Amino acid sequence: MPAQPSAPACARAVVLTRPAGQNGGLARALEARGWRALDLPALRLTPEAGPVPDPADFDLVVFVSGNAVRMFLDTWREAAGRGRAWPDATAAAVVGPASARALREHPAFGQAPRLVQPAPDSPHFDSEALWAVLSAAPLPSRVLIVRGGRGEQGTGRDWLAGRLREAGATVTLHRAYRRVPAAWTPHQAEGLRQLARAGTPTAWLLTSAEGVDAVRGHLAALGLLDWWADCRLVATHPRIARHLITVIAEALPARGDPPMLQTCAPRDEDILAAIESVS
């Protein structure tokens, strides 16, 4: 399990803010390279109540994140019966390799063959990259977009829905889960204070605009915003990076220097390289 915040024990630390259960492999890889990895989720994911659309009613289902994959398929499988498998006539689409892996690993989808995704060497994994693939082939007429909270990676899902509708598709948006700020314990808060007091070089991984907002709220309450702005910051999409810069500028208007910020793809290997590059 990733280390939890306590007294600093390594020469450098990294705070992983992805939701609970999604930081283990990355934390182990970082710890093998001498980092102290703190598992400190910014957001808590809660499944939405209510009916779940049936993928069989659509020609294409677009998942905007791995979280959307897991939350939707878990709920759909529970409602439809655990023996229910993904319908053969329905294609699935994802914005990147992490979501593709979540689909392939889920028992409700498995090795269903029709999976659309950006090329592995795409410079970004987002709605624009997925649209480049979708628009190069005959477009489906009925599309379901599965999302969460107020959105992943800014307004990308709304942009994609607009492109699909302009092309003549009927688009249904389904919110599979809500995202709310995760509670940080007094022990975790004190661990961050100790890192700040010790001057331990610290990196932060930020993977959504909502996560950035949640971290800002926590650190403002702890009086650690100035320290955070001096840390190494890694964002997994340019839109998240732009939001992060805006948040820091608004929170610390007298600050002259921009934050030390690196942008990378959301794959663990790219995140690892980005964290190492800003250390």
Side-chain angles (χ1 to χ4, degrees), residues 17-23 39 41-45:
T17 67
R18 293 188 298 196
Q22 298 179 25
N23 293 311
D39 189 354
L43 301 170
R44 177 171 56 86
L45 310 183

Side-chain angles (χ1 to χ4, degrees), residues 26-49:
L26 179 59
R28 288 188 292 272
L30 286 161
E31 287 166 349
R33 289 164 172 77
W35 291 84
R36 179 166 173 267
L38 284 71
D39 189 354
L40 201 59
L43 301 170
R44 177 171 56 86
L45 310 183
T46 303
E48 283 285 3

Side-chain angles (χ1 to χ4, degrees), residues 141-184:
S141 59
R142 301 168 300 164
V143 180
L144 173 66
I145 298 180
V146 181
R147 56 185 179 143
R150 290 187 292 116
E152 267 104 347
Q153 295 185 354
T155 57
R157 70 162 191 276
D158 299 320
W159 181 89
L160 180 61
R163 301 293 80 71
L164 287 163
R165 286 172 176 143
E166 289 171 359
T170 299
V171 179
T172 300
L173 296 174
H174 174 68
R175 190 167 84 170
Y177 62 94
R178 290 178 290 113
R179 301 193 292 179
V180 298
W184 291 358

Side-chain angles (χ1 to χ4, degrees), residues 109-120:
F109 190 83
Q111 296 304 308
R114 300 187 65 201
L115 177 57
V116 182
Q117 59 183 310

Side-chain angles (χ1 to χ4, degrees), residues 33-160:
R33 289 164 172 77
W35 291 84
R36 179 166 173 267
L38 284 71
D39 189 354
L40 201 59
L43 301 170
R44 177 171 56 86
L45 310 183
T46 303
E48 283 285 3
V52 180
D54 188 348
D57 293 335
F58 300 89
D59 305 303
L60 175 71
V61 178
V62 178
F63 296 96
V64 301
S65 69
N67 293 324
V69 168
R70 288 181 284 268
M71 290 289 183
F72 177 84
L73 290 182
D74 284 351
T75 305
W76 174 69
R77 191 170 180 243
E78 188 67 31
R82 291 197 167 271
R84 190 77 176 271
W86 188 264
D88 290 337
T90 302
V94 295
V95 297
S99 302
R101 184 168 58 252
L103 264 177
R104 293 299 190 197
E105 292 175 351
H106 199 285
F109 190 83
Q111 296 304 308
R114 300 187 65 201
L115 177 57
V116 182
Q117 59 183 310
D121 60 352
S122 176
H124 299 298
F125 296 110
D126 53 18
S127 295
E128 288 88 343
L130 177 58
W131 174 245
V133 178
L134 291 174
S135 61
L139 287 170
S141 59
R142 301 168 300 164
V143 180
L144 173 66
I145 298 180
V146 181
R147 56 185 179 143
R150 290 187 292 116
E152 267 104 347
Q153 295 185 354
T155 57
R157 70 162 191 276
D158 299 320
W159 181 89
L160 180 61

